[in-house]
């Protein structure tokens, strides 16, 4: 018997889980159902005994009524105990829905990783509190975080810098989103650097050997153990292949991916909390930003993506700008072997630029800016992170590009809208610029187009010439345009944000190359070039032929279809069919709504009828203390209660969609 009791409890618990899922209509978690089943089973014995004596079924150890009546009453008692278990399950589903807590197996498997993540989370919270940001993370600060923005921006920069590589890169990404954050924040975050102390050479050598799958000496004649550059994710070393070619090795630090993965989970959790608990988090859609940042950072950690990006950008260059060539046979997801470019990063090239002279520097800056604009408008593939460390300049004024982990891509419709915007800027046409901007971005609700048109027109008047105000004035038009975009509630798609980010990163690089470069003038030049290309007879003819080829099947069927419509109209057979519930989602929503209404009505009717039967003073007695109508009413009340629980469970079920 002792052996059967646990088996009986387990069987009843399993049966409770099956019946609960059927009765409630939602997938209740097995662990909680089994626990509730054990408690219900344990309570049945004592409860049945007490009720039997109270109802007069058992007296002095003897059954005082007929067996069918006794079984009927006891079954009803057992059913009500089971319903109380269902009630406990519904309450648990409302308070702690299934899936919000890890399963016992997951707790057992991942306790080490969870402990490590908890320590890191506590460390991040301590950093935030130390820099005065704890109240904003917990949603307790009711003041606008933009008040005292300069001080708060400095605190945010210091906290991100102390947080490590992932948080530094998050700050750098936010620094390019001037459409979302104030200029004080963007200026402070733009100064974040990812430089770090170099990893010891033995660990880097082991990482290279693991990526190659063989000893380093079998591939390279020599590798300089002193890094050319050391960032928080990767190090760059000079090397020479066995065939004599000079190359550079971009090696991912051994623990970089694990650290980024742990930090990204924390960032996603924090962003979800901020968007749920703070008004400014909801207005900035911080969780969506965090997900986009996680996807881009994951691509940066995969060097096969960077290899493909490099080739894509190289295929779109119009000459005059060099990029490395990838050595495929020795590259992998954590090691990138590239030919070495000669030159000095712009950030450290002040002597080289000074020797070139002012006019030559202006030509170099203009060529770089024109190339980036040309890629954005015509080819759609462009380098999105041209900060001063990623642009090389040699003694002859030649340019080279490095680090292709962040590359933007624009589709045909986006490039066309961007080109139309540049054309409108060139013609000082505020109406066309407004239409192009609406086409380029996602239209917000309640957009006041006339107000937007006036704001853009004022910008064009202010920056009409693009000269005489210095490069700060010419580049200021794009910053002002971003502020207009944000003030009017536009949501900037990721690909457009990448284009803006590329121009923002390029702005600082151009300032170091030449203070005289005119960004608005270059944009006007690209607009004119695009217009010349668009109205060229050969181009117009090719576009028309391409469009007509696409419309040809429709044109061939058009006469026959017009004839059918005319005949139906003439003979009175023309009709229109409307299917308001053609979409599966609409049908599922309406079906679920009708089910909930029907269940609620049935639950209310059953409960009302049960109350009338239970309170009735007529009818035969099946025990000395209980009437037959009361038993029927109890059964009916049981049905109504189960239906009410089902309705409540469906309302609070978060996985119904």
């Amino acid at each position: 018997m002792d052996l059967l009791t646990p088996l009986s409890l387990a069987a009843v618990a399993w049966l409770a889980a099956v019946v609960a899922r059927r009765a409630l209509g939602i997938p209740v978690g097995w662990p909680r159902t089994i626990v509730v089943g054990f408690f219900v089973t344990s309570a049945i014995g004592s409860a049945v005994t007490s009720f039997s004596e109270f109802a007069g079924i058992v007296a002095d150890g003897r059954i005082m009524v007929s067996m069918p009546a006794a079984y009927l009453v006891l079954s009803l008692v057992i059913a009500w105990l089971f319903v109380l278990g269902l009630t406990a399950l519904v309450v648990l589903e409302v308070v702690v829905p299934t899936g919000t807590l890890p399963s016992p197996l997951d707790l057992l498997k991942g306790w080490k990783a969870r402990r490590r993540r908890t320590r890191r989370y506590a460390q991040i919270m301590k950093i935030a509190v130390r820099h005065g940001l704890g109240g904003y993370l917990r949603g307790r600060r009711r003041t606008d975080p933009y008040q005292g923005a300069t001080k708060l921006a400095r605190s945010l920069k210091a906290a991100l810098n102390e947080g490590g590589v992932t948080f530094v890169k998050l700050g750098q990404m936010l620094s390019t989103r001037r459409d979302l954050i104030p200029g004080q924040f963007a200026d402070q975050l733009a100064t974040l650097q990812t430089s770090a102390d170099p990893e010891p050479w033995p660990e880097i050598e082991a990482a290279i050997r693991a990526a190659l799958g063989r000893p380093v000496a079998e591939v390279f004649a020599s590798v300089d153990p002193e890094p050319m550059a050391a960032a928080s994710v990767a190090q760059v070393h000079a090397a020479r292949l066995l065939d004599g070619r000079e190359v550079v090795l971009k090696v991912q630090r051994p623990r970089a991916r694990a650290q980024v993965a742990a930090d990204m989970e924390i960032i996603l959790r924090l962003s979800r909390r901020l968007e749920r608990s703070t008004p400014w988090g909801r207005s900035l859609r911080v969780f969506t930003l965090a997900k986009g940042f996680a996807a881009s950072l994951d691509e940066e950690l995969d060097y096969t993506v960077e290899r493909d990006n490099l080739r894509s950008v190289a295929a779109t260059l119009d000459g005059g700008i060099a990029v490395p060539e990838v050595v495929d046979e020795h590259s992998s997801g954590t090691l990138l072997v590239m030919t070495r470019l000669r030159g000095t990063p712009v950030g450290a090239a002040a002597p080289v630029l000074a020797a070139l002279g002012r006019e030559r520097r202006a030509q170099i800056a203009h060529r770089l800016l024109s190339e980036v604009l040309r890629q954005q408008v015509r080819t759609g593939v462009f380098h999105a992170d041209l900060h001063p460390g990623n642009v090389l300049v040699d003694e002859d004024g030649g340019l080279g590009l490095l680090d292709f982990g962040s590359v933007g891509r624009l589709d045909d419709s986006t490039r066309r809208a961007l080109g139309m915007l540049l054309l409108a800027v060139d013609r000082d046409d505020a109406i066309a610029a407004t239409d192009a901007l609406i086409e380029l971005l996602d239209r917000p609700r309640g957009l006041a187009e006339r107000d937007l048109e006036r704001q853009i027109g004022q910008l064009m008047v202010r920056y009409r010439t693009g000269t005489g105000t210095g490069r700060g004035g010419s580049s200021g038009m794009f910053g002002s345009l971003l502020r207009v975009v944000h003030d009017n509630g536009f949501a900037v798609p990721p690909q457009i944000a990448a284009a803006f980010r590329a121009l923002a990163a390029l702005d600082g690089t151009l300032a170091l190359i030449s203070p005289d470069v005119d960004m608005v003038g270059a944009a006007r030049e690209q607009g004119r070039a695009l217009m010349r290309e668009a109205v060229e007879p050969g181009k117009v003819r090719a576009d028309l032929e391409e469009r007509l080829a696409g419309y040809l099947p429709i044109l061939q069927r058009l006469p026959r279809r017009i004839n059918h419509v005319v005949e139906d109209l003439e003979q009175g057979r023309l009709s229109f069919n409307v299917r308001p519930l053609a979409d599966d989602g609409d049908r599922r929503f309406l079906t679920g709504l009708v089910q909930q209404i029907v269940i609620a009505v049935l639950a209310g009717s059953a409960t009302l009828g049960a109350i009338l039967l239970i309170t009735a003073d007529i009818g035969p007695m099946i025990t000395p203390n209980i009437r037959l109508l009361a038993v029927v009413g109890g059964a009916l009340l049981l049905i109504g209660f189960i239906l009410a629980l089902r309705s409540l469970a469906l309302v609070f079920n978060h996985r119904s969609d």
Side-chain angles (χ1 to χ4, degrees):
M1 186 69 178
D2 293 338
L3 179 64
L4 292 176
T5 300
L7 295 177
S8 301
L9 289 175
V12 172
W14 176 83
L15 181 62
V18 174
V19 175
R21 287 169 178 260
R22 293 290 185 181
L24 299 180
I26 60 174
V28 184
W30 285 103
R32 64 183 62 190
T33 307
I34 292 174
V35 170
V36 171
F38 274 113
F39 278 108
V40 170
T41 305
S42 302
I44 284 178
S46 58
V48 167
T49 301
S50 301
F51 182 81
S52 299
E53 294 177 354
F54 167 76
I57 297 175
V58 176
D60 298 328
R62 294 181 301 167
I63 298 179
M64 305 301 296
V65 297
S66 62
M67 292 299 294
Y71 286 140
L72 177 63
V73 175
L74 292 178
S75 298
L76 188 61
V77 173
I78 293 173
W80 267 106
L81 288 173
F82 177 74
V83 168
L84 292 179
L86 289 183
T87 305
L89 289 177
V90 171
V91 172
L92 286 175
E93 284 295 314
V94 172
V95 178
V96 186
T98 296
T100 56
L101 296 178
S103 66
L105 185 60
D106 291 337
L107 287 174
L108 184 63
K109 286 183 177 179
W111 71 273
K112 288 185 178 180
R114 191 172 299 103
R115 185 179 63 179
R116 187 166 54 249
R117 184 169 61 247
T118 302
R119 285 201 305 266
R120 178 61 173 164
Y121 186 83
Q123 181 183 3
I124 296 301
M125 292 300 295
K126 287 180 181 178
I127 293 173
V129 172
R130 187 161 54 246
H131 292 280
L133 304 175
Y136 293 107
L137 292 179
R138 291 188 290 267
R140 295 177 182 174
R141 291 286 183 90
R142 298 304 177 188
T143 57
D144 189 343
Y146 298 157
Q147 294 179 358
T150 303
K151 180 180 178 181
L152 182 58
R154 285 197 295 266
S155 299
L156 179 60
K157 172 198 168 184
L160 292 176
N161 198 39
E162 189 176 348
V165 49
T166 311
F167 294 92
V168 169
K169 287 188 172 293
L170 175 63
Q172 291 177 333
M173 183 273 291
L174 289 175
S175 70
T176 64
R177 297 302 303 268
R178 293 178 180 266
D179 59 315
L180 297 180
I181 62 176
Q184 299 96 319
F185 286 83
D187 293 338
Q188 286 291 330
L189 297 180
T191 62
L192 287 168
Q193 299 296 326
T194 56
S195 59
D197 294 332
E199 200 83 17
W201 169 246
E203 295 191 17
I204 292 296
E205 185 180 19
I208 297 174
R209 184 171 59 251
L212 292 173
R214 48 183 165 165
V216 177
E218 294 184 8
V219 178
F220 302 103
S222 63
V223 179
D224 188 355
E226 291 295 325
M228 301 172 63
S232 48
V233 172
Q235 286 185 192
V236 178
H237 290 259
R240 185 183 299 273
L241 292 172
L242 294 177
D243 59 10
R245 284 182 293 171
E246 292 186 352
V247 294
V248 293
L249 311 181
K250 184 175 181 180
V251 189
Q252 191 173 113
R253 291 181 182 243
R255 292 170 292 277
R257 180 172 285 275
Q259 182 63 58
V260 168
D263 286 347
M264 277 311 310
E265 185 172 358
I266 292 174
I267 288 176
L268 290 173
R269 288 174 181 269
L270 285 176
S271 62
R272 186 185 292 110
R273 177 187 297 177
L274 290 173
E275 186 163 329
R276 186 170 56 243
S277 61
T278 63
W280 63 270
R282 286 189 293 272
S283 66
L284 295 182
R285 296 185 292 273
V286 293
F287 184 61
T288 302
L289 284 175
K291 288 193 296 184
F293 169 67
S296 64
L297 189 56
D298 186 64
E299 286 190 358
E300 288 190 34
L301 291 172
D302 186 358
Y303 292 166
T304 60
V305 174
E306 182 172 348
R307 178 191 61 192
D308 296 337
N309 289 342
L310 193 156
R311 289 174 174 165
S312 298
V313 174
T316 64
L317 291 175
D318 198 19
I321 299 179
V323 295
E325 294 182 6
V326 178
V327 183
D328 287 322
E329 58 269 26
H330 303 315
S331 298
S332 65
T334 57
L335 175 66
L336 198 58
V337 182
M338 301 170 288
T339 57
R340 184 172 182 177
L341 295 181
R342 292 298 177 182
T344 306
V346 169
V352 176
L353 292 170
L356 291 173
R358 183 170 181 173
E359 183 177 351
R360 177 62 173 153
R361 292 170 63 179
Q363 293 175 355
I364 296 172
H366 184 269
R367 182 172 64 192
L368 179 60
L369 175 58
S370 297
E371 182 63 28
V372 172
L373 289 174
R374 187 190 67 82
Q375 288 180 330
Q376 290 188 356
V377 173
R378 300 187 186 181
T379 65
V381 180
F382 57 92
H383 197 306
D385 192 19
L386 290 177
H387 62 73
N390 286 341
V391 179
L392 299 179
V393 59
D394 59 25
E395 296 178 353
D396 298 327
L399 291 172
L401 305 182
L402 302 176
D403 192 358
F404 294 83
S406 179
V407 168
R409 289 176 172 84
L410 302 177
D411 54 35
D412 290 341
S413 61
T414 302
R415 294 203 309 272
R416 190 178 303 111
L418 185 58
M420 292 300 103
L421 180 60
L422 294 181
L423 283 172
V425 170
D426 182 59
R427 297 198 301 262
D428 291 327
D429 189 344
I431 297 177
T434 302
D435 293 339
L437 193 63
I438 294 174
E439 178 69 21
L440 187 65
L441 306 175
D442 296 335
R443 177 193 287 267
R445 291 183 178 180
L447 175 65
E449 293 190 22
R450 292 289 298 170
D451 293 340
L452 176 62
E453 180 184 322
R454 280 192 289 269
Q455 294 176 36
I456 293 178
Q458 291 172 1
L459 283 182
M460 289 183 171
V461 172
R462 181 179 176 186
Y463 299 100
R464 176 166 293 167
T465 61
T467 59
T469 57
R471 66 167 313 282
S474 65
S475 62
M477 178 175 179
F478 294 96
S480 300
L481 182 61
L482 285 178
R483 284 191 290 273
V484 169
V485 165
H486 176 62
D487 292 342
N488 284 273
F490 281 96
V492 182
Q495 65 271 21
I496 305 301
F500 289 157
R501 185 170 69 248
L503 292 175
L506 183 61
D507 187 41
T509 304
L510 295 176
L512 294 177
I513 296 176
S514 173
D516 301 325
V517 66
D518 179 13
M519 293 190 73
V520 174
R524 290 177 179 273
E525 182 178 326
Q526 284 297 323
R528 287 191 292 269
L530 180 67
M531 183 169 57
R532 288 194 300 268
E533 180 180 334
V535 299
E536 188 181 39
K539 177 68 175 177
V540 174
R541 179 179 177 181
D543 288 343
L544 288 176
E545 290 177 351
E546 182 179 351
R547 293 179 183 276
L548 285 175
Y551 291 139
L552 187 58
I554 299 176
L555 294 175
Q556 289 175 338
R557 299 187 185 96
L558 187 60
R560 185 169 63 252
R561 290 178 176 175
I562 293 176
N563 184 48
H564 288 329
V565 171
V566 171
E567 288 182 356
D568 290 342
L569 183 62
E570 181 181 5
Q571 300 179 12
R573 297 195 305 261
L574 188 64
S575 62
F576 296 93
N577 294 326
V578 179
R579 300 181 60 188
L581 298 177
D583 184 71
D584 291 338
D586 294 341
R587 288 198 297 272
R588 285 196 299 269
F589 170 77
L590 185 59
T591 301
L593 184 62
V594 171
Q595 286 178 348
Q596 292 189 21
I597 293 175
V598 170
I599 291 174
V601 171
L602 290 177
S605 302
T607 303
L608 182 60
I611 293 174
L612 294 176
L613 291 175
I614 292 173
T615 57
D617 293 332
I618 59 174
M621 306 289 292
I622 61 173
T623 74
N625 300 324
I626 299 178
R627 295 182 181 275
L628 176 62
L629 290 182
V631 174
V632 176
L636 191 60
L637 184 61
L638 177 71
I639 295 173
F641 202 79
I642 292 176
L643 290 175
L645 288 177
R646 181 184 179 93
S647 179
L648 187 64
L650 291 175
V651 168
F652 287 97
N653 180 31
H654 299 284
R655 298 168 302 282
S656 60
D657 53 349

